[in-house]
Amino acid sequence: MFRPVTTIATALLLTLSGAPASMATAEPAWQPQEPPLTTPWTDQVGPDNALPEYPRPQLTRERWLNLNGLWDYTGGDNAPEQILVPYPPESALSGVQRHDDRMVYERTFDVPADWSGQRLILHFGAVDQRAEVSVNGRQVAVHEGGYTAFDADITDAVRPGEPQHLTVAVSDGNETAPYPLGKQRNDPGGILYTGASGIWQTVWLEPVDPDHVTGLNITPDLTGFDLTAATSTAGGAQVEVAVRDGDTEVTRTTGPADRPVRVDVPQPHLWTPDDPHLYDLTVRLLGADGAVLDEVGSYTGLRTTGLVNDEQGRPRLALNGKIVFQHGPLDQGFWPDGIYTAPTDEALRFDLDKTKELGFNMVRKHVKVEPARWYYWADRLGLLVWQDMPSLPIDLNIPPEDSPPPSEEMKANYRAEWVDIIDQLRSSPSIVAWVPFNEGWGEFDTAEITDLTRRTDPTRLINPSSGVNCCYSLPDSGAGDIYDDHTYVGPGAPTVTDGRAVVDGEYGGLGLAEEGHLWPGDPSAYEMTDSREQLTRRYGEVSDELARVIEANGLSAAIYTQTTDVENEVNGFLTYDRQVMKPDVASVREHNTAAIEAGS
């Protein structure tokens, strides 16, 4: 949710921060804190290299200014200090390592001289949970929801020839606020983890022509794609789409701006996990005289997702019209040094590389939305993605029958942010399924939310309630394309009863506590093993049973818990610090390949 505003939030800023941090007289030098566990990338992070990569791979421009780095920070009633953006205050990499319900970030920046005459767009990858943004005391944006990108045209707030003062006032109460938050908690433990407040994705600035492309919506199929270029133009402009396969241009198409343009690709090379072929795109916005007003880069992969019946008439998940068993880990996206924010782009890619190495062809992104570069790596490496909606707050200490339903405000926030998430991610070819609810956490109006999801994106499968058989889930609505069973250790053995495919949305959870690689507290898992050899053997036994269920029941997908340990959970393939791969990779890969072959 983004809305530009024109009033100045002076009272709010004074309440939050007193005086600007830049006015402090004895500000200590920034230093990272010591995390309970360090990853291989912890020591690579510093003020001069805080996530320097271009943050939006599917809509690129050559000119931009990264605003990551050291900012002045005032949290709650604490003294002003410095923070390393975009690492959340709770993280060691931020230099703060605590939670504050209310935060004020401040910094100055200079507008490059050669940007004169351009509109200036300020971008935020994500700020959790509510942000008010001001430039030189003029409020330019208010945004609610911790998982979606937002931007603001700050041109009219900029003062020529002097440093610009940027202020971001944030509030984040974790589970005490009425917003989706996934597994973040103020008091973490068990399957709930440390929260990540404030700015946790890249902040950046770019210059654009007054007439420019504001967004791309790319919908692929087996012969090409439809592309809608949203623009700032009043009307009548055209877009030119050039498609390249490597260094060779294969087609060029022109059509109206702000409307779908059909692009047929000759001799189409389809995208699959085994062959994640991507086409590079150049999209130009053309004025009435044919002059180029704006030019952006992008990419796409040609693929479809859907259901087909197998030889026994059972509905199965399909990719490009063919049955493909989808097998992958539950991926939660937490880090011991950065909490919600991977320390580096190499680290962000690392978990996906290991997922491929283990022989999987998919990943379930669990109740979290990642930065755009994570989906870029999934697109490029070749992993199917099931995208969860972050859950609304729920108290897991209350029995399901006593758990109160979400408030109307929570429902409204959920609906708005879910639509924004789908719109933000919809052009990524790796995403093949949307998952609105997990185990009934904050679940409401399931059939209606399924319909909302379908209207927002009619091209992907919908798994309305992962773990509908357990926990806090409402009774099965029968909606969507997938019936999803959670059974630990499992695997579960759901059977086809209607036109939906059946899947094991979670199973496994085999644990091993690796001394020297443990988060403070008692380690836990659904079943503990006492050695890497025993863990490898048990994984093989569970996988053999999975292969039997696939063939007997027509199971379409299985998601193993999980990619890495997360805080006190030790049921990951990797330790939480990413230092140790616990089972034997060759054995796991052999079993995963066998399961995929059994169901494809």
Side-chain angles (χ1 to χ4, degrees):
M1 292 172 286
F2 167 71
R3 53 183 185 275
V5 291
T6 56
T7 58
I8 299 177
T10 305
L12 172 65
L13 296 180
L14 290 175
T15 300
L16 288 172
S17 63
S22 57
M23 294 172 61
T25 57
E27 187 174 88
W30 176 87
Q31 290 290 334
Q33 300 295 318
E34 183 67 30
L37 293 171
T38 59
T39 71
W41 307 275
T42 302
D43 292 339
Q44 298 178 18
V45 176
D48 296 329
N49 67 340
L51 297 181
E53 295 80 13
Y54 191 88
R56 189 185 57 191
Q58 276 197 295
L59 201 168
T60 64
R61 290 189 175 92
E62 292 185 358
R63 295 194 297 174
W64 70 294
L65 178 65
N66 194 330
L67 297 180
N68 292 344
L70 291 181
W71 292 47
D72 292 330
Y73 175 82
T74 305
D77 296 326
N78 295 284
E81 56 197 309
Q82 288 189 313
I83 188 169
L84 185 59
V85 168
Y87 303 99
E90 293 88 344
S91 71
L93 291 178
S94 74
V96 176
Q97 207 173 26
R98 69 169 185 274
H99 171 77
D100 295 308
D101 283 349
R102 298 167 76 81
M103 300 148 269
V104 173
Y105 294 78
E106 297 180 87
R107 67 159 292 163
T108 60
F109 64 91
D110 293 317
V111 178
D114 61 351
W115 290 10
S116 176
Q118 299 286 287
R119 305 300 295 181
L120 302 178
I121 310 299
L122 176 65
H123 296 272
F124 292 84
V127 182
D128 198 8
Q129 295 169 311
R130 186 179 192 276
E132 298 196 11
V133 183
S134 299
V135 175
N136 297 323
R138 178 173 177 175
Q139 195 176 82
V140 295
V142 176
H143 182 266
E144 295 180 349
Y147 297 95
T148 49
F150 64 101
D151 56 54
D153 186 330
I154 66 169
T155 312
D156 295 339
V158 167
R159 296 171 180 166
E162 60 181 87
Q164 315 302 319
H165 185 218
L166 172 58
T167 305
V168 185
V170 186
S171 61
D172 183 350
N174 281 328
E175 69 268 30
T176 65
Y179 300 102
L181 81 164
K183 289 192 170 185
Q184 302 180 77
R185 291 297 186 273
N186 286 320
D187 186 18
I191 62 171
L192 303 173
Y193 318 128
T194 302
S197 305
I199 300 172
W200 67 277
Q201 291 186 30
T202 291
V203 186
W204 53 293
L205 187 70
E206 67 174 343
V208 295
D209 191 87
D211 294 318
H212 63 275
V213 174
T214 59
L216 297 177
N217 179 359
I218 306 169
T219 304
D221 54 41
L222 302 185
T223 61
F225 56 93
D226 294 323
L227 181 146
T228 301
T231 74
S232 63
T233 59
Q238 296 279 301
V239 291
E240 178 188 78
V241 184
V243 183
R244 296 186 312 282
D245 189 351
D247 295 330
T248 303
E249 183 175 308
V250 296
T251 190
R252 185 181 292 245
T253 304
T254 302
D258 299 296
R259 294 176 59 186
V261 175
R262 177 63 193 176
V263 181
D264 291 312
V265 177
Q267 300 178 315
H269 187 159
L270 302 185
W271 185 97
T272 70
D274 292 331
D275 182 15
H277 187 80
L278 297 175
Y279 289 93
D280 292 318
L281 311 179
T282 299
V283 180
R284 298 181 178 93
L285 179 64
L286 307 178
D289 59 356
V292 177
L293 304 176
D294 190 18
E295 178 177 308
V296 300
S298 190
Y299 68 87
T300 192
L302 306 186
R303 64 101 186 97
T304 60
T305 181
L307 298 178
V308 300
N309 289 340
D310 63 16
E311 293 177 350
Q312 299 179 48
R314 300 174 300 193
R316 307 287 289 274
L317 300 182
L319 182 72
N320 302 334
K322 299 178 181 179
I323 295 172
V324 174
F325 188 79
Q326 300 184 16
H327 193 20
L330 196 73
D331 189 312
Q332 310 220 46
F334 277 77
W335 299 83
D337 46 11
I339 309 299
Y340 246 24
T341 306
T344 68
D345 192 62
E346 179 188 357
L348 191 70
R349 172 178 173 166
F350 176 85
D351 287 358
L352 297 175
D353 276 328
K354 291 301 178 183
T355 299
K356 291 285 289 189
E357 184 180 328
L358 289 164
F360 291 115
N361 65 0
M362 66 89 73
V363 59
R364 179 181 168 200
K365 179 45 62 178
H366 191 39
V367 295
K368 183 195 178 191
V369 177
E370 292 287 359
R373 291 193 62 85
W374 187 91
Y375 301 94
Y376 164 79
W377 286 122
D379 294 339
R380 190 156 294 281
L381 295 173
L383 281 164
L384 304 169
V385 174
W386 290 15
Q387 178 61 54
D388 286 13
M389 171 62 181
S391 308
L392 284 167
I394 184 174
D395 187 346
L396 297 183
N397 295 313
I398 297 176
E401 62 272 16
D402 298 329
S403 184
S407 68
E408 291 305 312
E409 183 180 15
M410 293 164 72
K411 292 178 183 180
N413 289 339
Y414 174 102
R415 289 188 182 97
E417 192 163 7
W418 184 222
V419 169
D420 286 350
I421 288 169
I422 294 172
D423 284 341
Q424 178 173 310
L425 301 179
R426 65 189 308 147
S427 294
S428 174
S430 60
I431 299 176
V432 294
W434 302 115
V435 187
F437 295 112
N438 175 73
E439 295 185 349
W441 298 1
E443 184 178 0
F444 67 97
D445 300 340
T446 312
E448 178 210 319
I449 296 300
T450 302
D451 183 61
L452 173 65
T453 306
R454 185 84 71 197
R455 294 196 312 272
T456 307
D457 177 14
T459 71
R460 288 181 173 88
L461 298 171
I462 303 172
N463 180 0
S465 182
S466 187
V468 69
N469 63 307
C470 78
C471 315
Y472 291 76
S473 293
L474 300 178
D476 180 22
S477 66
D481 306 296
I482 295 170
Y483 177 91
D484 185 321
D485 176 282
H486 288 189
T487 299
Y488 287 103
V489 167
T495 57
V496 172
T497 59
D498 52 29
R500 295 174 294 173
V502 295
V503 307
D504 277 0
E506 292 181 28
Y507 79 102
L510 301 171
L512 175 63
E514 289 278 3
E515 291 299 327
H517 303 274
L518 299 176
W519 191 258
D522 295 328
S524 65
Y526 292 93
E527 176 186 314
M528 293 293 288
T529 64
D530 58 17
S531 69
R532 298 182 194 178
E533 292 76 17
Q534 185 185 15
L535 175 62
T536 300
R537 177 178 60 79
R538 284 292 293 131
Y539 187 83
E541 292 169 352
V542 173
S543 293
D544 289 344
E545 176 63 13
L546 175 64
R548 186 195 68 78
V549 173
I550 292 169
E551 295 180 352
N553 292 32
L555 198 69
S556 278
I559 292 91
Y560 180 86
T561 301
Q562 58 187 333
T563 306
T564 74
D565 296 349
V566 183
E567 299 197 352
N568 295 134
E569 284 191 79
V570 295
N571 44 27
F573 291 106
L574 289 153
T575 53
Y576 192 27
D577 56 12
R578 276 71 167 179
Q579 303 277 5
V580 177
M581 173 65 76
K582 292 191 279 187
D584 179 76
V585 170
S587 177
V588 171
R589 183 180 181 88
E590 180 181 357
H591 282 94
N592 289 343
T593 301
I596 291 171
E597 291 176 350
S600 296

